[in-house]
Amino acid sequence: MIRSHRIVTLFLFISTFSYAFASDFVHVRTYPTHSRMTFRIDDSVSTELKNTKTGFELHLRGSNLADLGAASGEGERWKAGYRKLNDMRLDSIEVSEIQGEIVIQGRWKFPTGPLALANAKMELFDYRDKFPPQYIIDFWVKEGPTIRQQEMKQKQEAYLMERKKVSEFTEKNQARRLASIKEEEAFQSSMRVCETPMSTENDIFLKFSTIHQKVDFSRWISITTPDAKFSYYRTGKKTRDAKYVRLALDLYKRGNWGLVVRTLDFLDKEYPRSDYQTEMKFLRANAYLRMGMEQQAITILKKIIGEYNKGEKGSSVALYAAMFLAGRFLDSHLTLAAMENFLWLIQTYPDYGDVWIFHLGLAECLYALKQTERASKEYQWVKDNAPNEKARAEGAFRAGDLYMARYQYEAAIATYASALRDFKNEAALFPDFFLNRGEALYQVGQIEIAKQVFRESVELYAGHPGGWRATLRLGEIVANGTLDPEKIKESRDWFYETINRYPASPGATLARLRLLPCGDHGGMDMFASEQFFTNIAAKFDGGGEVIMTNYEDFRALAHIRALVTLGPEEEIGKVAFKDLQRVKDPLARKKIILVATESVQRKIIRLIADGKHYEALSFYTAMSPLISKDTESERLDYLLALSQSASNLGLGTFGEKLSKIYQEKLLRLKQRPNRAIAQALKSDGLDVEIKRAEEEFSAAKAAWISDSKSQASLEFVKEKLKNVKEESKFFYEKEIILGLIEEKQGNLKASLAHVANAHLQKSSARVTAWLAYLTLKADDSKDALKIFKEVENQILESKDHKIPDEPIESNLGIPPVPPLTVVIISEGEILETMKKWGEASAKYSQAIDIGLGGNQLAFQYARSLIKTGDVAGREKAMAVLEKLSVSEAKDEKEKFWKRMAQATLAGERNKEIVN
């Protein structure tokens, strides 16, 4: 035991003093942190010390070799002895005597190989001791980066500087692109909905039914009682039947309708063949009418007309009966019955002074029955044969309505023009004529003339119930083909006029549909708008004044546009799906699909921007049947973003499909003939490169996610990623994918370079841990240790020491971040390989102190403590090993480290016995 102790003491002495020269003049000693040169000279010797890049130079003023102990004639030999004096920081010493002073020159020894310093420099500190008298110089290597570290630092600084330039340039370009996207989105939504001029190219215009001015036949024909203008014959005869007649007439005059009928019953019973029977039947019919017994009255009147055919011509009773029935039936819309009576009157009383009334009545019946040609002839007859201008105008101004009803607008315009030319003074009597003529002109595109006619109608007939047609059309006409703010305001004023002046008319609903998408939205918010569309607009039937053929198209288009400008955007697709089931007009369908497509695209882009990739893909899948196949009006970027989202979720096949759809649509877009595709492909040179990079990256990422095993797929991915430059926002993911491919193919150096680039782009825990293992695999322990320390800090800073899942990194295939225990053990093992046992044990102790456990960690902690050689540390290590050797092991791994602890413990105890 004593012999062993002496050996250890000698070993420690040798390790502390690497070299000690026997001379009394100079000694060199080596310490772990510095080296020391001691010169045995007294205070009387003046010294001057210079530190150079390669060594030092010490001048001893007024001294010679003899003063330092060199024997006479032995100077060269004495100096040669000092040349061998060196240590780990000192290469050699050269002593010389020059002009009355001793000059001592030393050459420094700096670390070489991987530890070579970039700016090697020795630090000096000199001082004197008095007992014994001596001059001392302490020296040590100044800490600093190695050549390799300096090179890496310079490269990193250069890279970061370049990245900063690229980032600044990219930010400017991105800002420009975002501005371009905002402009495009504004064009896609607001521009198309609110700022596109109203025209037949982008709007639906409903047709109105003909407003046919009803003939007031009561001016000539009584339709309340047949005898309103009839004078009964009052006989003066004394006969009994004459007395009955006079009694009946007196009772009728007094309004005793029932007694009239009763009196006539006696007359019929007693004098069925009386000469007064025809007029008395007529009287009975009138009494029945006044009593409300219309059917009985009509039966009698028909009988009178029928009996007249058998009797003598010229009977006024039959005339008045027929006129009454014709007028009454026409007023009751019993058109065929009315026409039968008018025909009978024309045929029976061709010479009647007001026969033109019968022709006018017949024309009205034929109009109602849509017998245009026959009706036209009758109106023309009235125009040609009526007794005065006013009467003739009755036929002239209505004739054009026949062609309006058949949508023969040119013929209607010509007929109206003829009526206006011939009966200008009577035109004011026919307000419907102005509305019909204006509509006909509007439908054939004579907009300015129509505008004048409608304005005239509004001025002349402000209270006309059909006036909403004029105000509504004026709103459409004023806004037609213009974006002039003043014109747009005037147009909206006309729509408001329609609503306020004719609130119960069909025009009020149509005007609201025009107002809702833009401006003040007709005073409605989103909720009121939806209530309007789902109730009033949905139940609108046109009131018989609007041709409803295209109303559903008109309503649906207004609805989708209102949703775009009012929201909510989430409803657009749902509403579009529903409305497209009913919309038939190609223009409306196209517009609805385009507006819905743009809305769907914007929502997809927004969902992706919010990180809701699954929701974006689900929304696209649900809405894809709605998305326009017309790429001319479609932004395609969202397909690339969707492809990347699919890849991020591990849906590589779906990502590839979306990438192919994008390429196919882009190709069709580029191949469109006679079309300026600048809007869709508008960009400067850098934009083109960025766009191309995005296209290539989307295809590469989808292929990588769907197939990362086959060599062909890997080469395809590498080829596609060539165009993804540093300025691309996908450069980070590109470097990750290439790092994984190179690692898979065994190219460690190339993989490490790509992963290092990715790490510079983003401090992801996964990437950092991956970089640490690759660096360690490349035998760069020192750098690996630093990177593992970075991983450790990232884990410690995370919540509950758990790194949250990073979808992009995990989906690309980067190994997960190892547990904190594994990271610290890795750090400790690196320190062990570097023989830094104290630092290794401190690292393991740190892990245990923060609550990390496990047999491996405990064993390696104990082993590193033993390796330090510290007595207290060894005792602590033995205690840890003893505890570990008797601990419970839950699995094979824990059992292995338990056995290792038991073996190590036994070995250490054996050493104690031997010693």
Side-chain angles (χ1 to χ4, degrees):
M1 291 294 288
I2 294 173
R3 181 173 177 272
S4 175
H5 178 70
R6 287 174 179 173
I7 292 173
V8 171
T9 303
L10 178 62
F11 173 76
L12 292 174
F13 177 81
I14 292 173
S15 65
T16 304
F17 303 98
S18 60
Y19 187 85
F21 195 71
S23 169
D24 290 335
F25 168 57
V26 61
H27 291 267
V28 177
R29 291 177 178 171
T30 302
Y31 297 96
T33 58
H34 66 284
S35 297
R36 174 173 293 174
M37 290 185 293
T38 304
F39 297 91
R40 295 295 180 91
I41 57 177
D42 58 30
D43 294 342
S44 63
V45 178
S46 175
T47 61
E48 182 182 353
L49 179 63
K50 296 180 181 178
N51 187 7
T52 68
K53 187 174 182 180
T54 58
F56 73 92
E57 192 173 287
L58 175 64
H59 293 260
L60 305 179
R61 309 291 186 190
S63 298
N64 55 41
L65 294 177
D67 294 335
L68 301 180
S72 178
E74 296 292 328
E76 290 300 321
R77 183 181 174 190
W78 184 87
K79 290 189 289 183
Y82 287 103
R83 293 191 185 101
K84 298 178 182 179
L85 192 65
N86 59 60
D87 81 335
M88 62 183 293
R89 300 177 182 90
L90 183 65
D91 183 62
S92 63
I93 290 180
E94 184 70 35
V95 182
S96 58
E97 185 176 358
I98 303 173
Q99 297 179 354
E101 66 178 14
I102 299 298
V103 178
I104 304 170
Q105 295 175 312
R107 178 175 293 278
W108 301 130
K109 184 187 293 183
F110 293 105
T112 59
L115 299 178
L117 298 172
N119 297 299
K121 186 178 180 180
M122 196 69 71
E123 297 276 16
L124 298 179
F125 177 74
D126 64 318
Y127 61 95
R128 289 180 181 271
D129 274 349
K130 293 185 177 181
F131 303 105
Q134 54 189 0
Y135 176 67
I136 301 169
I137 301 175
D138 288 342
F139 56 97
W140 61 92
V141 178
K142 184 178 181 180
E143 291 186 2
T146 64
I147 293 175
R148 180 176 179 183
Q149 288 173 333
Q150 183 70 12
E151 289 176 350
M152 289 183 65
K153 182 179 180 182
Q154 290 174 348
K155 288 181 180 179
Q156 185 174 13
E157 288 176 350
Y159 175 79
L160 292 175
M161 183 64 70
E162 185 65 24
R163 285 298 305 160
K164 184 179 179 181
K165 292 179 181 178
V166 171
S167 177
E168 290 175 352
F169 183 72
T170 303
E171 285 178 7
K172 292 179 180 178
N173 182 66
Q174 187 70 9
R176 189 168 67 252
R177 291 191 68 205
L178 287 173
S180 174
I181 289 172
K182 287 181 179 178
E183 289 176 3
E184 184 179 353
E185 287 185 349
F187 173 80
Q188 297 286 357
S189 57
S190 177
M191 185 71 179
R192 290 190 175 183
V193 173
C194 295
E195 297 179 18
T196 300
M198 187 181 294
S199 68
T200 54
E201 295 179 357
N202 52 50
D203 273 290
I204 300 296
F205 294 87
L206 300 178
K207 293 180 180 181
F208 301 149
S209 59
T210 306
I211 180 169
H212 186 68
Q213 187 166 327
K214 185 178 179 181
V215 178
D216 183 11
F217 282 99
S218 64
R219 292 176 289 172
W220 313 291
I221 299 174
S222 173
I223 59 173
T224 54
T225 55
D227 60 359
K229 296 181 180 181
F230 180 79
S231 297
Y232 291 97
Y233 173 69
R234 187 178 182 85
T235 180
K237 291 183 180 182
K238 304 295 183 180
T239 60
R240 188 174 176 81
D241 59 343
K243 291 180 181 180
Y244 277 123
V245 170
R246 286 194 295 272
L247 178 60
L249 290 173
D250 290 339
L251 292 170
Y252 185 75
K253 188 175 182 180
R254 292 198 294 266
N256 296 324
W257 324 120
L259 292 176
V260 171
V261 173
R262 186 63 176 164
T263 301
L264 293 177
D265 287 341
F266 285 115
L267 178 64
D268 290 345
K269 184 177 180 181
E270 296 181 18
Y271 303 99
R273 297 183 181 277
S274 171
D275 293 335
Y276 307 112
Q277 276 294 351
T278 302
E279 278 199 11
M280 290 302 101
K281 289 179 180 179
F282 186 63
L283 180 64
R284 181 189 286 271
N286 280 276
Y288 279 152
L289 282 171
R290 293 177 184 277
M291 294 169 63
M293 301 170 66
E294 184 173 348
Q295 194 56 49
Q296 291 87 333
I298 290 174
T299 301
I300 294 171
L301 293 173
K302 285 182 177 180
K303 188 175 181 181
I304 291 172
I305 296 171
E307 290 177 349
Y308 166 81
N309 288 329
K310 300 175 184 177
E312 190 179 44
K313 287 186 178 182
S315 169
S316 59
V317 172
L319 172 63
Y320 280 92
M323 286 194 297
F324 169 79
L325 290 177
R328 188 62 169 254
F329 288 151
L330 186 61
D331 188 63
S332 302
H333 304 291
L334 299 173
T335 308
L336 287 173
M339 185 174 71
E340 181 182 357
N341 283 279
F342 280 124
L343 280 171
W344 185 85
L345 287 166
I346 292 170
Q347 293 169 2
T348 307
Y349 299 97
D351 299 325
Y352 180 65
D354 289 330
V355 70
W356 68 272
I357 299 172
F358 307 152
H359 283 278
L360 181 61
L362 178 59
E364 288 293 287
C365 292
L366 293 168
Y367 173 86
L369 294 171
K370 301 185 184 304
Q371 295 188 26
T372 305
E373 297 304 322
R374 290 181 62 191
S376 178
K377 290 179 181 179
E378 294 300 325
Y379 283 128
Q380 186 64 39
W381 193 97
V382 174
K383 178 183 176 183
D384 295 339
N385 299 286
N388 53 60
E389 293 293 299
K390 186 176 179 180
R392 289 198 292 272
E394 294 282 353
F397 283 106
R398 289 183 173 84
D401 299 352
L402 292 166
Y403 303 104
M404 281 291 294
R406 293 174 64 174
Y407 313 118
Q408 296 174 342
Y409 298 114
E410 291 83 357
I413 292 170
T415 306
Y416 289 138
S418 175
L420 186 61
R421 181 180 61 250
D422 297 337
F423 305 99
K424 186 175 182 179
N425 295 331
E426 287 70 33
L429 299 172
F430 303 94
D432 293 358
F433 153 76
F434 290 92
L435 295 172
N436 287 331
R437 181 174 176 240
E439 183 68 14
L441 291 165
Y442 178 81
Q443 292 297 339
V444 299
Q446 296 186 33
I447 303 298
E448 286 305 314
I449 302 176
K451 181 179 176 182
Q452 294 174 11
V453 173
F454 284 132
R455 282 188 180 277
E456 188 176 0
S457 175
V458 172
E459 292 169 2
L460 291 175
Y461 310 103
H464 192 285
W468 64 266
R469 298 169 180 242
T471 54
L472 184 72
R473 286 297 190 220
L474 283 170
E476 294 176 339
I477 290 171
V478 169
N480 185 57
T482 183
L483 291 177
D484 183 347
E486 292 185 4
K487 295 291 185 182
I488 298 300
K489 181 181 181 304
E490 182 184 352
S491 170
R492 296 179 73 80
D493 287 344
W494 280 117
F495 291 139
Y496 275 114
E497 181 75 5
T498 305
I499 296 169
N500 295 330
R501 186 179 293 188
Y502 310 99
S505 70
T509 299
L510 300 182
R512 287 189 176 94
L513 289 170
R514 283 291 188 205
L515 285 168
L516 262 167
C518 306
D520 56 10
H521 313 293
M524 296 188 191
D525 58 12
M526 182 274 294
F527 178 78
S529 169
E530 284 304 292
Q531 288 293 312
F532 170 77
F533 276 108
T534 55
N535 291 292
I536 297 174
K539 298 174 183 177
F540 179 75
D541 61 6
E545 297 189 64
V546 179
I547 306 301
M548 298 294 289
T549 306
N550 291 324
Y551 171 74
E552 196 58 41
D553 308 324
F554 177 80
R555 184 205 60 78
L557 188 56
H559 195 183
I560 202 77
R561 286 172 167 172
L563 283 174
V564 169
T565 56
L566 277 170
E569 194 174 69
E570 290 72 15
E571 291 293 313
I572 292 177
K574 182 171 68 175
V575 169
F577 261 128
K578 183 178 179 181
D579 285 345
L580 284 173
Q581 306 302 315
R582 299 188 294 270
V583 171
K584 298 178 181 178
D585 183 82
L587 170 65
R589 291 186 65 84
K590 180 179 179 181
K591 290 293 178 182
I592 291 171
I593 290 173
L594 287 180
V595 171
T597 295
E598 291 153 9
S599 174
V600 168
Q601 292 168 358
R602 285 196 302 275
K603 182 173 181 181
I604 287 173
I605 291 170
R606 188 166 58 254
L607 286 171
I608 293 173
D610 293 341
K612 299 177 180 179
H613 301 284
Y614 179 78
E615 290 86 344
L617 289 168
S618 298
F619 186 69
Y620 169 79
T621 302
M623 293 298 172
S624 57
L626 181 65
I627 294 175
S628 170
K629 304 300 185 292
D630 180 8
T631 55
E632 179 178 356
S633 303
E634 187 177 354
R635 280 184 56 206
L636 302 179
D637 302 41
Y638 82 101
L639 287 170
L640 291 178
L642 273 176
S643 174
Q644 295 153 27
S645 293
S647 299
N648 289 340
L649 293 172
L651 306 174
T653 303
F654 192 22
E656 284 186 298
K657 178 182 176 182
L658 290 166
S659 180
K660 289 178 181 177
I661 292 173
Y662 168 84
Q663 294 294 341
E664 291 169 359
K665 289 195 173 189
L666 184 63
L667 180 62
R668 289 200 301 272
L669 180 64
K670 291 178 178 179
Q671 291 176 343
R672 280 186 177 272
N674 302 321
R675 179 184 178 274
I677 62 172
Q679 181 65 34
L681 303 177
K682 179 181 179 183
S683 57
D684 56 25
L686 181 59
D687 285 331
V688 170
E689 291 300 319
I690 291 175
K691 176 65 69 178
R692 184 182 178 192
E694 186 173 3
E695 295 170 8
E696 301 284 27
F697 173 77
S698 298
K701 184 175 181 179
W704 167 255
I705 297 297
S706 63
D707 181 11
S708 60
K709 295 182 179 179
S710 71
Q711 191 63 29
S713 176
L714 297 182
E715 294 304 319
F716 170 81
V717 172
K718 290 170 73 173
E719 183 64 28
K720 286 290 183 182
L721 291 177
K722 285 181 180 178
N723 292 314
V724 182
K725 308 300 182 185
E726 282 185 299
E727 59 268 19
S728 171
K729 64 180 179 180
F730 306 106
F731 182 72
Y732 171 69
E733 292 179 73
K734 167 202 172 178
E735 291 298 292
I736 290 176
I737 295 173
L738 289 177
L740 289 165
I741 292 176
E742 297 296 352
E743 184 181 20
K744 186 183 288 289
Q745 294 178 337
N747 303 322
L748 179 60
K749 187 175 181 180
S751 175
L752 191 56
H754 288 300
V755 178
N757 281 339
H759 182 250
L760 286 174
Q761 293 279 319
K762 179 182 175 183
S763 183
S764 162
R766 273 182 183 257
V767 174
T768 307
W770 183 26
L771 178 63
Y773 281 114
L774 287 176
T775 305
L776 184 61
K777 197 174 180 181
D779 296 325
D780 190 347
S781 300
K782 191 171 183 180
D783 282 348
L785 182 62
K786 292 180 179 178
I787 301 171
F788 270 117
K789 181 63 178 176
E790 184 180 343
V791 178
E792 177 190 342
N793 291 335
Q794 287 177 316
I795 296 175
L796 289 172
E797 290 170 1
S798 64
K799 186 178 181 180
D800 300 328
H801 295 172
K802 291 182 180 179
I803 298 293
D805 188 34
E806 300 172 89
I808 292 178
E809 289 81 355
S810 61
N811 287 328
L812 288 177
I814 302 176
V817 180
L820 183 57
T821 305
V822 174
V823 173
I824 291 179
I825 288 174
S826 299
E827 292 180 67
E829 288 177 342
I830 293 173
L831 289 167
E832 287 183 25
T833 61
M834 298 169 70
K835 308 300 183 183
K836 296 183 178 181
W837 305 107
E839 293 182 40
S841 63
K843 177 59 64 177
Y844 295 136
S845 176
Q846 172 195 350
I848 294 171
D849 288 344
I850 63 175
L852 300 179
N855 289 357
Q856 181 182 2
L857 182 61
F859 173 78
Q860 294 192 224
Y861 172 54
R863 184 179 65 180
S864 62
L865 282 173
I866 293 172
K867 292 286 187 179
T868 62
D870 182 75
V871 176
R874 186 177 184 280
E875 291 177 357
K876 189 173 184 179
M878 295 296 285
V880 172
L881 290 173
E882 286 179 1
K883 183 177 180 181
L884 184 57
S885 64
V886 296
S887 64
E888 293 184 7
K890 298 179 181 179
D891 52 36
E892 288 301 319
K893 183 178 179 181
E894 294 290 285
K895 289 178 182 178
F896 170 79
W897 292 110
K898 180 179 179 179
R899 289 194 295 270
M900 289 292 293
Q902 292 169 343
T904 303
L905 185 63
E908 291 299 315
R909 285 173 175 169
N910 288 335
K911 288 181 183 179
E912 291 177 355
I913 295 171
V914 171
N915 293 333

